[in-house]
Amino acid sequence: MTTRTSAGRPKSYNQNQVARALQDLAGREVEPTVEAVKRHLREEQHLSINPRPEALQAMIDEILARETEERTLRLIEALPSEAIGFLDHACDLAKRQLLLGFAEGYSELQKKNALPIQELRDLLNVARSERERSEQESTKFARQLEASYERNDKLHALTEELKVERNELEKEIIALRVQLAVKDEILSKLPMLGPK
């Protein structure tokens, strides 16, 4: 019985060729399937290949994941500092309000648990007179929390707008790449001009 190595035979195509195929397919809005890439490599790049589907799919996934990560990093870097500052501010406010509510409740609990029974009974009587104040504070906190939610909603809307802009930019980039590829191909086929 013969054993096979996990490496397999050397590939007769490389990542640059697969990346080019993926760019062309994206420009034509064709899904980047193994069959579509294989057809591109054979018919448009004139490679005599018969790749294993699993190996080609792994390379496609790797290239697409890398391109997605690069695109994500570019988009984040292009965000205006105001958007990042707004997000940080909104998150800080919401976190602060929630922590304050928990901290006040926890502080009261600690105080009450530390007191003897009689003092707890006295506190119960005082608590009745403070009920109105607590309700007012709760209402104030609820308003502040609602304001934080509104800021978060605005941030979400801004994020959605940025996603739409990103999609438009991606389409423009793909169209430009296709135009450049066509231009390069035309230029490469033109005969050299000038005196013979």
Side-chain angles (χ1 to χ4, degrees):
M1 178 183 239
T2 59
T3 58
R4 301 176 77 182
T5 63
S6 61
R9 60 190 165 98
K11 291 182 176 62
S12 53
Y13 58 94
N14 60 42
Q15 282 202 351
N16 290 337
Q17 292 164 326
V18 175
R20 178 179 159 202
L22 291 172
Q23 286 175 355
D24 288 353
L25 293 173
R28 299 173 196 158
E29 297 183 356
V30 174
E31 188 177 348
T33 62
V34 168
E35 285 304 314
V37 171
K38 189 190 307 183
R39 187 168 36 256
H40 187 284
L41 293 172
R42 287 179 180 164
E43 295 174 6
E44 299 189 39
Q45 296 187 42
H46 310 292
L47 299 177
S48 299
I49 60 166
N50 189 22
R52 284 183 25 251
E54 300 83 11
L56 183 55
Q57 184 66 57
M59 189 178 286
I60 291 169
D61 292 343
E62 181 182 339
I63 292 169
L64 291 176
R66 185 176 62 239
E67 288 177 355
T68 299
E69 180 62 19
E70 289 170 359
R71 187 181 315 116
T72 299
L73 292 175
R74 284 194 306 272
L75 289 169
I76 290 171
E77 288 172 3
L79 273 175
S81 59
E82 295 84 10
I84 296 169
F86 179 76
L87 174 61
D88 290 342
H89 181 67
C91 290
D92 287 345
L93 275 176
K95 180 180 177 183
R96 182 177 172 81
Q97 291 303 319
L98 288 170
L99 285 174
L100 179 62
F102 289 133
E104 287 177 345
Y106 184 69
S107 175
E108 287 301 314
L109 246 150
Q110 282 185 316
K111 288 177 189 174
K112 289 177 183 178
N113 286 337
L115 297 174
I117 298 289
Q118 185 56 46
E119 290 183 15
L120 284 174
R121 288 182 183 142
D122 293 341
L123 275 175
L124 183 61
N125 292 330
V126 172
R128 290 186 182 124
S129 63
E130 292 182 353
R131 181 184 302 161
E132 185 177 335
R133 184 186 64 83
S134 295
E135 288 174 355
Q136 290 172 352
E137 288 178 2
S138 295
T139 302
K140 180 182 174 185
F141 175 72
R143 286 185 188 138
Q144 290 172 337
L145 193 58
E146 187 174 338
S148 294
Y149 284 138
E150 287 176 9
R151 283 189 289 271
N152 284 343
D153 289 342
K154 288 179 184 175
L155 180 62
H156 179 70
L158 175 63
T159 303
E160 291 303 313
E161 288 176 18
L162 289 173
K163 283 182 183 175
V164 170
E165 285 182 28
R166 179 192 69 192
N167 290 338
E168 291 302 317
L169 286 172
E170 287 176 1
K171 288 178 185 175
E172 288 179 26
I173 288 169
I174 290 169
L176 286 172
R177 284 181 179 163
V178 170
Q179 289 174 6
L180 284 173
V182 169
K183 182 179 176 184
D184 289 345
E185 190 172 337
I186 290 171
L187 288 174
S188 71
K189 291 181 180 178
L190 286 176
M192 294 297 291
L193 299 177
K196 292 186 178 180

